[in-house]
Amino acid sequence: MSIETRTVNDVTILDIKGKLTIGVGDIALRDSVNNALQNGATKILLNFKEVTSIDSSGIGELVSSYTMATNRGAKLKLFNLPSKVTDILMITQLITVFEVFDSETEAIQSFS
């Protein structure tokens, strides 16, 4: 599991690669979102294009990251969700909580 951070205009994008699962993935997501917020990010996108699996800990950390961002006045949105992740968000009804986009361009434009 790895997360690379990049910026497009004033939007911070976290490119997540690998398994968002208990132990490593959930901690890496928490740390990356927290670092972005500490560096002043107010518009955060999570790119799930290369996420191969997600478990309940990953879902929990996703919700926690969303809450942390919202409590600090930031927006956190998702894009490029693989069908497995979309299915899990649908089953858990979290698809109604997160703003989800198909492409990076669409996600970036949603902030304006």
Side-chain angles (χ1 to χ4, degrees):
M1 163 81 178
S2 68
I3 300 177
E4 292 180 20
T5 303
R6 58 191 170 92
T7 305
V8 176
N9 300 327
D10 60 344
V11 179
T12 301
I13 301 171
L14 304 178
D15 295 314
I16 306 168
K17 297 177 182 165
K19 296 180 180 184
L20 188 47
T21 55
I22 192 167
V24 179
D26 57 342
I27 295 167
L29 178 62
R30 178 186 318 137
D31 291 347
S32 295
V33 171
N34 195 31
N35 287 340
L37 291 168
Q38 286 181 344
N39 289 328
T42 57
K43 301 172 183 176
I44 302 171
L45 291 176
L46 302 183
N47 180 4
F48 274 76
K49 185 175 185 177
E50 295 188 46
V51 172
T52 56
S53 67
I54 188 167
D55 67 3
S56 59
S57 290
I59 292 291
E61 198 51 54
L62 194 56
V63 171
S64 178
S65 294
Y66 177 84
T67 303
M68 180 172 36
T70 302
N71 288 343
R72 294 190 190 181
K75 296 283 186 192
L76 185 139
K77 303 179 183 186
L78 317 177
F79 72 102
N80 282 339
L81 296 183
S83 61
K84 287 180 189 177
V85 176
T86 301
D87 290 347
I88 290 170
L89 291 180
M90 296 281 260
I91 290 166
T92 59
Q93 305 246 336
L94 289 171
I95 200 81
T96 61
V97 173
F98 294 101
E99 286 188 63
V100 178
F101 300 91
D102 293 330
S103 72
E104 182 174 314
T105 304
E106 189 182 13
I108 291 171
Q109 290 172 347
S110 75
F111 285 112
S112 52

